[in-house]
């Protein structure tokens, strides 16, 4: 009896798991938009299936920076310090670009969740213009300040020249980074994680190849690293825009009219289904007429008369159905052409830009002040010497191997929460939020353990200098203890972005960064050097994670009115 019960248990669970696995991510995302209930297993599978491509892309991006830093690191401590000096400022530029992208892509996620693909494409068109202009402004600003920036950051004369050139080229290539990021975030918000992730992995491979050529073959040093990265971003941006504009069924504004998904206009599959239903009705009516013919024969009516009447009625109904289908097709084409003509404009409109500003401005301010805080942190580290600057920069690159999976899960959470809110499913929104945060904390805890164990080997890959390896290993093992709560902050932030709740999380992050990390770092660096700076970082990340978890479980973020532009 026990064996029978055990066998039944495993058979039942295997069947249930097989049924869950049989459903694709697209089908599960459709369930969100159509308001259908999902099991916990389906939700977890959807989170994992959307997270894995993003995690792989994030890790590959980290490996790209890892290899870049290793290539430059083998040129000597001076080259590593030159990049490390301006690295935090380049992150600031990337953060401002990402804030602009998210201001528009969150709107797109909400409209897709509401099955309003026409409005989603309307936002997309305007985002292309706005983000391009924004990236041009950032590029011009980078050119204007590149020669002064290393000295503002406290860099010495020996590294200032390379640092300024590296920053200038990264700022110019930020245009490609902006457009690649915009196209990728739009695809991800539509539920397509695979294409952006594959292209980002490809970009990493290209970056390594180009950097090797520029740094070693052409002997261009630090400048070669910037040129290799920029060329890889250019190629990836072109491909990413192609898949967004020409291949996406939901957002492809350059696809044929009949291939686009619209609201109020049936797709080709829906039209085929309608035609099949009409054919079934005609057959059903014909069967009914045949029954009436049998009844009439029993009453003694003439068979020829019955056949003639049935044939005439069937032809009349068939003509009526054909006429109705023709009218429906003409009306569908008319409505589709009208929709496209109304939405073809790329001119930014006030409602969309205003909503993007409400979502993106707090994120932009957060990135600006967080980037400013990173710059201040660099200023705190700079007086500690060239070895400390290099060890700090390389250790940050190594640590990113730990938290990149968290950002991958956060991207999945943004998509799922955004579409769930757009579909009006508040309970599902909370469920996705809690499960995503729990998964992120579990994964990053495991990554933290691995980082603690293999810190010396990882730093040894980055630099052959023993002093840099020793200092980097010490600070990485300090930071490993903060990874679980850092995961909570990362994924919770992704959840809040999907809900268009960006102001309060930005305030919490800035308060934590400026009031806790920088204050402690300035105090501890005097007595403990680089180790003191990283102790302050670990304390601050733990504090920030607790703040974000508190807001998550209080649930006010899910009650905020979602700002969406009008159609």
């Amino acid at each position: 009896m026990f064996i029978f019960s055990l066998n039944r248990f495993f058979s039942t669970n295997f069947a249930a798991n097989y049924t869950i696995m049989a459903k694709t991510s697209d089908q599960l995302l459709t369930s969100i938009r159509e308001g259908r209930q999902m099991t916990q297993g389906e939700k977890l599978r959807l989170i994992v299936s959307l997270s894995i491509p993003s995690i792989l892309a994030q890790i590959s991006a980290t490996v790209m920076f890892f290899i870049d830093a290793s290539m430059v690191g083998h040129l000597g401590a001076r080259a590593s310090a030159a990049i490390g000096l301006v690295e935090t400022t380049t992150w600031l530029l990337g953060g401002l670009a990402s804030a602009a992208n998210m201001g528009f892509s969150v709107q797109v996620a909400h409209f897709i969740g509401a099955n309003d693909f026409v409005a989603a494409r309307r936002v997309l068109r305007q985002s292309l213009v706005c983000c391009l202009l924004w990236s041009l402004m950032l590029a011009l600003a980078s050119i204007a300040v590149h020669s002064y920036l290393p000295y503002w950051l406290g860099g010495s004369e020996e590294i200032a020249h390379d640092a300024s050139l590296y920053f200038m080229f990264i700022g110019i290539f930020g245009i490609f980074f902006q457009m690649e990021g915009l196209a990728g975030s739009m695809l991800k918000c539509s539920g397509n994680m695979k294409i952006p992730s594959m292209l980002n992995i490809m970009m990493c491979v290209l970056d390594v190849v180009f950097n090797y050529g520029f740094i070693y073959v052409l002997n261009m040093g630090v400048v070669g690293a910037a040129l290799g990265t920029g060329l890889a971003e250019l190629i990836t941006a072109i491909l990413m825009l192609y898949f967004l504009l020409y291949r996406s069924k939901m957002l492809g504004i350059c696809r044929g009219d009949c291939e686009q998904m619209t609201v109020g206009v049936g797709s080709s599959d829906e039209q085929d289904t309608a035609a099949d239903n009409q054919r079934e009705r005609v057959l059903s009516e014909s069967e009914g007429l045949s029954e009436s013919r049998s009844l009439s024969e029993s009453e003694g009516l003439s068979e020829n008369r019955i056949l003639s009447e049935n044939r005439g009625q069937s032809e009349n109904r068939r003509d009526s159905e054909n006429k109705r289908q023709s009218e429906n097709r003409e009306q569908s084409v008319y409505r589709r052409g009208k929709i496209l003509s109304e939405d073809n404009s790329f001119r930014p409109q006030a409602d969309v830009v205003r909503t993007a500003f409400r979502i993106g401005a707090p994120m932009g301010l957060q990135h600006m002040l967080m980037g400013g805080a990173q710059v201040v942190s660099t200023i705190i580290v700079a007086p500690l010497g060239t070895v400390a600057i290099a060890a700090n920069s390389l250790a940050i690159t190594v640590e990113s191997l730990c938290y990149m999976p968290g950002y991958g899960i956060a991207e999945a959470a943004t998509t799922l929460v955004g579409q769930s809110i757009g579909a009006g499913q508040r309970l599902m929104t909370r469920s996705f939020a809690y499960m995503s945060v729990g998964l992120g904390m579990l994964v990053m805890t495991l990554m933290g353990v691995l980082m603690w164990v293999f810190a010396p080997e990882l730093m040894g890959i980055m630099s052959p200098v023993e002093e840099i390896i020793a200092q980097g290993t010490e600070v990485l093992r300090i930071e490993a203890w903060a990874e679980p709560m850092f995961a909570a902050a990362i994924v919770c932030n992704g959840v809040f972005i999907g809900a268009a709740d960006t102001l309060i999380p930005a305030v919490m992050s800035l308060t934590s960064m400026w009031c806790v990390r920088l204050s402690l770092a300035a105090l501890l660096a005097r007595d403990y050097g680089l180790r003191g700076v990283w102790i302050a970082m670990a304390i601050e990340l733990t504090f920030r994670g607790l703040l974000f978890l508190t807001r998550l479980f209080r649930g006010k973020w899910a009650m905020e009115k979602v700002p969406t532009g009008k159609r």
Side-chain angles (χ1 to χ4, degrees):
M1 185 69 180
F2 172 77
I3 296 176
F4 174 79
S5 300
L6 193 64
N7 180 64
R8 183 178 180 183
F9 172 80
F10 281 108
S11 299
T12 303
N13 281 275
F14 176 81
N17 290 334
Y18 180 82
T19 301
I20 292 174
M21 293 299 293
K23 294 184 178 180
T24 65
S25 299
D26 291 339
Q27 290 173 325
L28 295 175
L29 287 169
T30 300
S31 298
I32 296 176
R33 296 194 295 269
E34 294 181 354
R36 295 198 297 265
Q37 294 298 317
M38 298 171 62
T39 65
Q40 293 296 99
E42 289 174 333
K43 292 175 185 176
L44 180 60
R45 178 176 177 269
L46 185 55
I47 294 171
V48 172
S49 64
L50 295 182
S51 297
I52 288 176
S54 292
I55 290 174
L56 293 176
Q58 294 285 350
I59 291 177
S60 65
T62 303
V63 171
M64 176 189 73
F65 290 118
F66 196 90
I67 296 174
D68 283 355
S70 178
M71 287 181 178
V72 175
H74 283 79
L75 296 177
R78 175 179 171 181
S80 295
I83 292 180
L85 184 66
V86 297
E87 189 173 37
T88 52
T89 312
T90 61
W91 293 348
L92 170 60
L93 296 178
L96 293 175
S98 298
N101 293 339
M102 294 307 297
F104 292 99
S105 59
V106 169
Q107 295 183 70
V108 169
H110 292 164
F111 281 127
I112 289 176
N115 271 325
D116 195 346
F117 303 107
V118 174
R121 288 194 292 273
R122 172 176 174 262
V123 174
L124 169 61
R125 288 186 178 90
Q126 297 175 49
S127 70
L128 293 171
V129 176
C130 293
C131 289
L132 180 59
L133 293 175
W134 178 243
S135 65
L136 287 172
M137 291 174 58
L138 293 179
L140 292 175
S142 301
I143 295 172
V145 304
H146 80 280
S147 59
Y148 307 102
L149 183 64
Y151 299 104
W152 294 344
L153 298 176
S156 62
E157 186 69 33
E158 64 175 344
I159 63 174
H161 178 71
D162 284 345
S164 64
L165 288 178
Y166 180 84
F167 178 77
M168 181 186 70
F169 283 113
I170 290 296
I172 294 172
F173 295 140
I175 298 172
F176 310 141
F177 176 81
Q178 176 89 63
M179 303 313 294
E180 178 268 330
L182 175 65
S185 64
M186 289 293 180
L187 288 170
K188 290 174 183 177
C189 283
S190 70
N192 185 349
M193 297 290 189
K194 184 182 296 184
I195 294 299
S197 299
M198 291 174 61
L199 291 179
N200 282 325
I201 292 172
M202 181 205 72
M203 180 175 69
C204 296
V205 175
L206 291 176
D207 182 71
V208 172
V209 173
F210 293 149
N211 277 3
Y212 181 84
F214 283 116
I215 293 174
Y216 295 113
V217 177
L218 299 179
N219 198 28
M220 298 182 69
V222 171
V223 174
L227 294 176
T229 299
L231 185 56
E233 289 175 348
L234 171 61
I235 295 173
T236 307
I238 292 172
L239 292 175
M240 199 80 78
L241 288 170
Y242 167 75
F243 280 100
L244 173 66
L245 303 180
Y246 288 90
R247 300 295 298 275
S248 174
K249 291 183 178 180
M250 296 180 186
L251 301 174
I253 59 178
C254 296
R255 290 171 64 92
D257 293 358
C258 295
E259 294 178 312
Q260 288 184 336
M261 298 175 66
T262 58
V263 174
V265 181
S267 64
S268 59
D269 292 337
E270 292 170 343
Q271 292 172 356
D272 292 340
T273 302
D276 291 339
N277 293 336
Q278 290 171 351
R279 283 192 293 270
E280 290 176 2
R281 284 200 303 271
V282 172
L283 290 173
S284 177
E285 291 170 356
S286 298
E287 291 174 357
L289 290 172
S290 297
E291 292 177 1
S292 67
R293 183 185 69 180
S294 300
L295 181 60
S296 299
E297 285 177 345
S298 67
E299 294 175 355
L301 295 176
S302 170
E303 184 176 356
N304 291 335
R305 179 183 173 187
I306 295 169
L307 291 172
S308 177
E309 290 176 353
N310 290 345
R311 188 180 299 111
Q313 292 176 2
S314 297
E315 290 177 354
N316 289 336
R317 285 180 171 82
R318 192 179 300 111
D319 291 341
S320 177
E321 291 292 344
N322 290 337
K323 182 178 180 180
R324 188 181 309 161
Q325 291 180 28
S326 178
E327 291 175 351
N328 289 338
R329 282 194 297 269
E330 291 176 358
Q331 186 177 7
S332 175
V333 171
Y334 168 76
R335 285 185 294 173
R336 187 171 297 167
K338 184 177 180 181
I339 287 173
L340 291 175
S341 65
E342 289 177 352
D343 288 343
N344 272 340
S345 175
F346 286 79
R347 179 180 299 175
Q349 298 178 6
D351 60 324
V352 173
V353 176
R354 187 184 307 115
T355 303
F357 184 80
R358 290 176 61 185
I359 298 172
M363 295 178 63
L365 180 62
Q366 176 184 350
H367 284 299
M368 185 178 297
L369 295 180
M370 291 290 280
Q374 294 287 354
V375 171
V376 173
S377 179
T378 301
I379 294 175
I380 293 173
V381 172
L384 301 177
T386 300
V387 171
I389 295 174
N392 183 67
S393 173
L394 297 178
I396 289 174
T397 302
V398 171
E399 188 220 354
S400 61
L401 284 171
C402 275
Y403 60 71
M404 283 300 108
Y407 280 108
I409 296 172
E411 288 183 352
T414 298
T415 297
L416 294 172
V417 169
Q419 292 200 16
S420 297
I421 286 181
Q425 300 205 54
R426 298 287 177 173
L427 292 178
M428 185 177 289
T429 299
R430 293 177 184 272
S431 181
F432 276 130
Y434 298 154
M435 294 176 71
S436 298
V437 172
L439 180 62
M441 294 181 70
L442 175 62
V443 171
M444 281 185 57
T445 298
L446 295 176
M447 296 297 293
V449 172
L450 293 175
M451 184 176 72
W452 197 96
V453 173
F454 295 105
E457 290 76 12
L458 293 172
M459 286 301 302
I461 296 173
M462 301 297 292
S463 175
V465 181
E466 290 297 330
E467 291 181 83
I468 294 177
I469 295 174
Q471 290 196 34
T473 298
E474 184 179 28
V475 298
L476 285 175
R477 287 179 168 170
I478 293 171
E479 184 69 9
W481 295 97
E483 294 302 315
M485 299 310 296
F486 191 18
I490 290 172
V491 184
C492 283
N493 193 55
V495 168
F496 300 151
I497 290 173
D501 176 34
T502 55
L503 179 58
I504 300 300
V507 173
M508 293 192 305
S509 294
L510 294 174
T511 301
S512 178
M513 185 70 169
W514 283 88
C515 296
V516 179
R517 181 187 298 192
L518 295 181
S519 299
L520 285 176
L523 291 173
L524 297 178
R526 290 180 295 183
D527 297 325
Y528 299 98
L530 186 61
R531 183 178 59 175
V533 174
W534 282 69
I535 290 173
M537 185 189 304
I539 293 173
E540 184 272 326
L541 291 176
T542 302
F543 176 72
R544 194 194 311 178
L546 291 173
L547 286 179
F548 274 77
L549 285 175
T550 300
R551 181 164 181 79
L552 176 72
F553 290 112
R554 284 185 176 178
K556 292 183 179 180
W557 58 273
M559 300 177 185
E560 298 288 340
K561 183 178 179 181
V562 179
T564 53
K566 299 178 181 179
R567 282 185 56 187

